[in-house]
Amino acid sequence: APGAPAPPAPDDPATLKVVPARHYARWVAAAAVVVLVAQFTHGLATNPVWEWDVFRDYVLSETIVRAVWVTLQLTAYATVLGFLLGTVLAFMRLSRSPVLQTVAWTYIWIFRSIPMIVQLVFWFNLSALYDRLGFGIPFGPVFWSVDSNSIIGTIGAAVIGLTLHQAAYAAEIVRGGVLAVDEGQMEAAAALGIPRLRQIRRIVLPQAMRAILPTAGNEIIGLLKGTSVVYVMSIGELFYQVQVVYGRNGRVIPLLLVATAWYVVLTSLLSVAQYYVERRYARGADRTPPPTPLQRARRLVRTLRTAAGRRHRPVVPFKPLGDIR
């Protein structure tokens, strides 16, 4: 009929029936994962072998807390000294001097090839190789010497071993970060007459930190857990102290759970610190960084409060003002 709307075309999108995709395999996988997690959680709560009462007695005991402090000390010393030495080795490898390049490459090759436990045992027995350490003229007389056992104790040997091992990996991390900086930055700084050392300290390293931090944070977390290797030197760190305790009372599983809980807590704190440090050094590249989890939580609370205030706001009835003439 004239003026009647035309029938829709067969391929008109408005006439098509939209059916959402059904991911059956994804649903089955999610259900299987939920069942496994529920089964594991049920086992944690009901299996008497875990002995949660023993766990509660020892997780904050004085012996364990002191061992955690020793673990933190070893991690801090090895991290600071290892990255300082690693930074020097990284710039030695980037140097144009073949001697410096060869020495740095050889150091990294050797200390990455030898397992950490072998290095720790070697430094622990340093007095068998050098009974005295001294200062003097190379290949000449010694002016002052001291017994190696008195200057390098058990903790000192552990710090030396962890530091030298960590420096080999830190050198490659720093070198990769420096190579990630555009060469034009150095050329522009040189054109402005900025000294070489200031170029590295104020231009290269701040930009290289974005590439260094993710791998460096992962390495520090690995070092925190790697300090458990020093148990071979009978140092009272966390894992060694846990072994001593369950060697006396025979409660192996709950004491291992104590060590696991502390390692999880310390690793989580390091991960949070790494997140905020990375966020700080990303300011130059990301002008509007995404909100932090704390900021998101505050925003959610603010939104909920606003919604609750609107819900409980009294409704004022409308009153007509009468005729306006």
Side-chain angles (χ1 to χ4, degrees), residues 17-27:
K17 183 180 180 181
V18 180
V19 179
R22 294 178 174 85
H23 305 279
Y24 298 105
R26 188 183 302 173
W27 296 347

Side-chain angles (χ1 to χ4, degrees), residues 3-184:
D11 56 349
D12 188 3
T15 62
L16 299 178
K17 183 180 180 181
V18 180
V19 179
R22 294 178 174 85
H23 305 279
Y24 298 105
R26 188 183 302 173
W27 296 347
V28 172
V33 170
V34 170
V35 170
L36 290 176
V37 171
Q39 187 176 6
F40 179 74
T41 305
H42 180 265
L44 285 177
T46 59
N47 193 341
V49 180
W50 293 107
E51 297 183 277
W52 291 104
D53 54 340
V54 179
F55 172 82
R56 288 190 298 269
D57 293 339
Y58 283 97
V59 68
L60 294 176
S61 62
E62 183 180 356
T63 302
I64 299 299
V65 172
R66 283 202 308 266
V68 171
W69 176 242
V70 173
T71 299
L72 290 175
Q73 285 181 309
L74 292 174
T75 304
Y77 294 152
T79 299
V80 174
L81 298 177
F83 273 90
L84 287 177
L85 179 58
T87 303
V88 175
L89 292 170
F91 284 100
M92 288 174 63
R93 284 207 62 185
L94 296 172
S95 173
R96 296 180 181 179
S97 171
V99 176
L100 297 180
Q101 290 182 3
T102 304
V103 171
W105 183 87
T106 305
Y107 177 94
I108 295 171
W109 167 57
I110 291 176
F111 280 88
R112 288 198 304 178
S113 303
I114 304 174
M116 184 189 297
I117 190 170
V118 177
Q119 297 181 38
L120 290 174
V121 175
F122 178 83
W123 290 107
F124 183 66
N125 294 279
L126 181 64
S127 60
L129 185 62
Y130 299 104
D131 56 345
R132 298 188 68 83
L133 300 175
F135 293 95
I137 300 175
F139 308 104
V142 177
F143 302 126
W144 177 80
S145 65
V146 65
D147 186 11
S148 59
N149 285 327
S150 62
I151 194 174
I152 301 178
T154 305
I155 296 292
V159 171
I160 291 175
L162 293 173
T163 298
L164 297 180
H165 179 82
Q166 186 65 30
Y169 293 90
E172 293 298 284
I173 294 172
V174 175
R175 186 174 70 91
V178 172
L179 292 177
V181 179
D182 187 16
E183 188 66 24

